[in-house]
Amino acid sequence: MTVASPPRILLIVGGGIAAYKALELIRLIRKAGLNVRVVLTKAAQEFVTPLSAGSLSGDKVYTDLFDLTDEAEMGHITLSRQAELVVVAPATAALMAKLATGLSDDLASTLLLATDKPVLMAPAMNVRMWHHAATQRNLETLRADGVAFVGPDEGDMACGEFGLGRMAEPEAIFAAIQEALKPKAQPLKGRHVLITAGPTFEPLDPVRGVTNRSSGKQGYAIAEAAVRAGAQVTLVSGPVNIPTPAGVERVDVETAQEMYDAVHSALPADVFIAVAAVGDWRAKEIARDKQKKGEDGELTITLVKNPDILASVGKHESLRPQLVVGFAAETRNVEVYGRTKLRTKGADVIMANDVSKDVFERDTTNMILIDESGPTNAKLLTKREAAEDLIRYIGTRIK
Ligand code: C5P
């Protein structure tokens, strides 16, 4: 009964009336000649049996994290990574909440946390549960983490209400699966992409310093998108609290001068993307000891200008990358300042965003991409989507 080659899809079936449609989905997947391995949550087994799911998939159905035979035969880590794609249908509010918060307390949620493969969710729940602020918050978090969604649809629900929350039809889920399995184009294959991210920190004395507000999220998202596009990525990063994305070479720095030096030693590059919020000024002299409060309640610090890293690369005489991208975080006149920056920094493209609305720690951002042909329309995107957009754009510009 066991399928010979590793499954291309791991299908996690959550508990809900829509679980019966998962059987049709298994049938469609198998009809297309794809192997699928099925996991049923405890609640899902109230709606479909392992026997029916297994007869359709032609494979063993997994239900229990503590099934020792399975752990001996195949650990949950292997189970979570053998397939190319993890599909959750129906994705209940509970399964979404668990993955959004990183909770793993059964086989399904453990697999979702342990997988390194793309995840596609087909939500199904009562309309009020779908619109609940908590579910919408989880949806936003999961999207920012790169989870793809199909549905839910609008319609009559099993509970008698009407609205958004019906699971997408098996045909639509299958179409999304086919899309997700398509080999991804790698427009930056073999290219060296150099990125700066995060803030810089300029010490004033051994305990104090001047810094900028920047979480580093946008720069890190761009680094990840560049890796997915096949690039070799060097990420010169100021102090942030984000793990290094897989496949990225990260160089940690603190001050603007260190960032400048690290960038110049990482050249040549095909693309330079300056996302870092670099401090414009540093203390002329760094006090050797912690400065005392003093009697008059004032402290005078002389600041000197830091080098402009973006301009130094954008106007580099011999090692200018083919494409130079800068950022403009402005609180007003976003487009005008963005255009000016194209010229003053020697950049080909400026990603301008409006930071008047507290974007710093958030996952969304309001972006305008400005090049010599003008601006694109401002879009509210997750930082991950903005990164994908930028990398797609770069792919079209690079020769
Ligand atoms: O001049 P401003 O700081 O507004 O320009 C922002 C752009 O310039 C960003 O891309 C930022 O990474 C880059 N920059 C830099 N070095 C500096 C100042 C800004 O690379 N010293």
Side-chain angles (χ1 to χ4, degrees):
M1 169 158 180
T2 309
V3 284
S5 50
R8 296 194 64 193
I9 297 152
L10 178 71
L11 174 64
I12 296 174
V13 182
I17 186 69
Y20 79 92
K21 290 203 231 170
L23 295 179
E24 174 62 7
L25 179 61
I26 299 170
R27 207 184 57 76
L28 285 175
I29 294 170
R30 293 289 288 143
K31 203 172 125 204
L34 300 172
N35 289 336
V36 54
R37 181 161 284 152
V38 180
V39 170
L40 299 179
T41 64
K42 194 159 180 287
Q45 292 169 63
E46 302 287 334
F47 299 91
V48 291
T49 64
L51 186 63
S52 51
S55 326
L56 287 165
S57 72
D59 192 13
K60 182 175 164 60
V61 170
Y62 292 78
T63 54
D64 194 354
L65 184 58
F66 300 105
D67 187 332
L68 290 179
T69 335
D70 291 349
E71 281 298 314
E73 276 174 13
M74 174 182 333
H76 62 275
I77 299 294
T78 314
L79 187 58
S80 74
R81 297 184 188 169
Q82 235 183 11
E84 285 167 55
L85 175 71
V86 181
V87 179
V88 190
T92 56
L95 275 172
M96 286 176 62
K98 283 186 192 180
L99 185 57
T101 49
L103 178 74
S104 66
D105 64 351
D106 62 2
L107 180 60
S109 51
T110 304
L111 295 175
L112 283 168
L113 209 56
T115 190
D116 56 359
K117 296 299 175 349
V119 176
L120 171 69
M121 285 189 159
M125 66 197 73
N126 166 275
V127 56
R128 299 217 183 283
M129 291 169 75
W130 175 253
H131 287 299
H132 195 285
T135 305
Q136 291 302 308
R137 214 165 35 236
N138 292 336
L139 176 67
E140 194 182 325
T141 304
L142 291 170
R143 279 218 171 105
D145 289 347
V147 174
F149 285 85
V150 49
D153 294 345
E154 197 175 61
D156 289 320
M157 322 209 106
C159 51
E161 290 188 84
F162 178 89
L164 269 182
R166 276 173 67 96
M167 187 172 83
E169 291 305 321
E171 290 76 14
I173 302 174
F174 182 60
I177 289 174
Q178 283 181 309
E179 186 57 38
L181 286 177
K182 264 195 204 152
K184 297 281 170 290
Q186 292 214 307
L188 299 183
K189 195 161 182 58
R191 306 300 189 142
H192 181 206
V193 175
L194 176 58
I195 301 167
T196 66
T200 56
F201 180 86
E202 306 294 342
L204 297 176
D205 67 24
V207 294
R208 301 189 187 89
V210 183
T211 189
N212 286 338
R213 284 182 70 185
S214 166
S215 65
K217 282 183 179 177
Q218 185 64 75
Y220 276 63
I222 292 171
E224 280 181 35
V227 168
R228 281 195 295 276
Q232 177 218 330
V233 178
T234 309
L235 178 63
V236 180
S237 174
V240 295
N241 271 320
I242 312 182
T244 311
V248 165
E249 189 189 330
R250 168 167 162 184
V251 184
D252 282 315
V253 296
E254 260 198 356
T255 66
Q257 186 61 50
E258 285 168 9
M259 189 172 270
Y260 177 98
D261 294 340
V263 162
H264 281 265
S265 23
L267 287 174
D270 297 289
V271 181
F272 177 59
I273 312 174
V275 196
V278 185
D280 291 324
W281 308 92
R282 67 175 181 275
K284 190 171 181 190
E285 270 161 50
I286 301 168
R288 210 148 40 89
D289 297 307
K290 182 178 172 189
Q291 317 231 50
K292 289 291 162 206
K293 284 190 192 70
E295 288 305 304
D296 58 0
E298 283 189 6
L299 170 69
T300 306
I301 301 165
T302 309
L303 298 173
V304 292
K305 214 152 182 176
N306 272 327
D308 190 313
I309 304 166
L310 174 56
S312 73
V313 176
K315 297 179 175 179
H316 203 294
E317 284 195 358
S318 52
L319 293 177
R320 186 187 191 278
Q322 234 192 83
L323 205 71
V324 174
V325 183
F327 268 68
E330 305 290 351
T331 50
R332 61 197 180 90
N333 293 343
V334 176
E335 200 183 314
V336 179
Y337 289 136
R339 275 177 185 281
T340 315
K341 233 157 251 179
L342 273 181
R343 270 180 288 112
T344 55
K345 308 260 186 173
D348 302 291
V349 192
I350 293 287
M351 295 267 283
N353 70 349
D354 185 348
V355 291
S356 58
K357 298 171 204 81
D358 194 24
V359 301
F360 289 110
E361 291 298 329
R362 303 187 57 153
D363 290 322
T364 49
T365 184
N366 213 337
M367 279 289 172
I368 317 180
L369 205 145
I370 302 165
D371 62 15
E372 69 276 11
S373 58
T376 59
N377 285 337
K379 279 191 271 189
L380 186 67
L381 299 169
T382 65
K383 290 183 178 176
R384 188 183 164 103
E385 287 164 344
E388 294 283 351
D389 256 23
L390 176 65
I391 294 299
R392 213 174 298 124
Y393 169 89
I394 291 173
T396 63
R397 292 269 325 242
I398 208 99
K399 294 193 187 63

